[in-house]
Amino acid sequence: MTVSRRWQASLAAALLVAPLIAYGSTTAAATWKLDPARSRLGFSGVQTGARFQGKFSRFAAAISLDPDHLDTSHIAVTVDLASAATGDQQRDAALPGKEWFDAAQAKFETTAIRKKGANVYEAVGNLTLRGVTKPLTLPFTLQINGATAHAVGHAALVRGAFGVGQGPWATGQWVGLDVGVDIDIVATRVN
C-alpha cells in the first residue's frame, strides 16, 4: 500500500470512529418527571426552644439524571415559598412576609452531581432565596427501580446567610439560625 493510500485509509477510519467517540462523550442523561403526589420537600428549625417541621406543598423540578453519565446530569428545582406550612397558623402567615421569605420562589440549580458511594450522591449547586445566591451541597441517596427513581436527602443551611429573618428575627434568640432541608422525591423516567 502506498503512503497516499495508507493516509486515505487512516483518514477514513478516523472519520468513521470520530462520531462514535463524540457520541460516547456527549451521552445525554435520562429525563425524569417529578411525581408531586409521592414527593415531599420539607424544612425544620427551632422556635423558642421547640423543634418544628414544615413542608412546601408546591414545587417543581427539571431532572436530567443518569448515574452512569453524571457529567451530563442536571437538576433545577423551584419552590413556591407561599406554600410553606408548619401547622402553626401565626408562623405560616408570617413566613411569606417581608421579615422572612419576602419572595415568590426559591431556586436550587446544580453545577455538578457527584457519586460518593453505592447509591450515595451529592448535588452541588446554588440556592437562591430572597435574591441572595449561595452555594449549597445536598447529599442524597438514590434508588432506581425500572422507570421509577426515589431520592432522599438532607442539607443544613443558615437562614441568616440569605437574609431570612429580619429585624428582631435576625438573631437566633427566638428562632434558631440553623435550618434543615429534607427531600423525599419520587420521579418517573420520561426517556
Side-chain angles (χ1 to χ4, degrees):
M1 186 181 272
T2 66
V3 172
S4 178
R5 287 194 179 187
R6 275 189 291 209
W7 180 82
Q8 288 174 344
S10 296
L11 179 60
L15 291 173
L16 289 172
V17 172
L20 297 175
I21 293 170
Y23 177 77
S25 65
T26 60
T27 301
T31 302
W32 300 83
K33 182 179 179 186
L34 179 72
D35 183 342
R38 295 170 42 193
S39 298
R40 184 178 190 282
L41 178 58
F43 59 94
S44 59
V46 175
Q47 183 174 0
T48 59
R51 186 162 176 78
F52 70 88
Q53 293 186 341
K55 68 176 184 173
F56 295 100
S57 59
R58 293 185 301 273
F59 57 96
I63 306 167
S64 178
L65 179 65
D66 185 336
D68 295 327
H69 300 284
L70 293 177
D71 58 325
T72 59
S73 296
H74 183 261
I75 301 169
V77 179
T78 55
V79 182
D80 179 349
L81 296 174
S83 73
T86 65
D88 180 284
Q89 188 175 12
Q90 184 178 8
R91 180 172 42 229
D92 293 352
L95 283 175
K98 287 188 178 268
E99 292 181 325
W100 292 98
F101 292 145
D102 192 32
Q105 62 181 216
K107 183 174 185 178
F108 175 73
E109 187 165 4
T110 61
T111 54
I113 300 171
R114 300 181 184 133
K115 185 167 185 155
K116 302 303 283 182
N119 299 326
V120 179
Y121 300 85
E122 63 181 15
V124 179
N126 294 303
L127 174 64
T128 302
L129 180 58
R130 274 189 71 110
V132 176
T133 301
K134 299 275 185 186
L136 178 71
T137 298
L138 174 70
F140 66 97
T141 58
L142 176 66
Q143 297 289 330
I144 298 177
N145 295 315
T148 302
H150 183 205
V152 176
H154 173 82
L157 58 93
V158 177
R159 65 177 174 83
F162 296 91
V164 175
Q166 297 286 305
W169 310 109
T171 71
Q173 180 180 1
W174 303 107
V175 179
L177 296 173
D178 296 324
V179 176
V181 177
D182 296 289
I183 66 159
D184 190 339
I185 304 295
V186 175
T188 305
R189 187 176 178 143
V190 176
N191 70 349

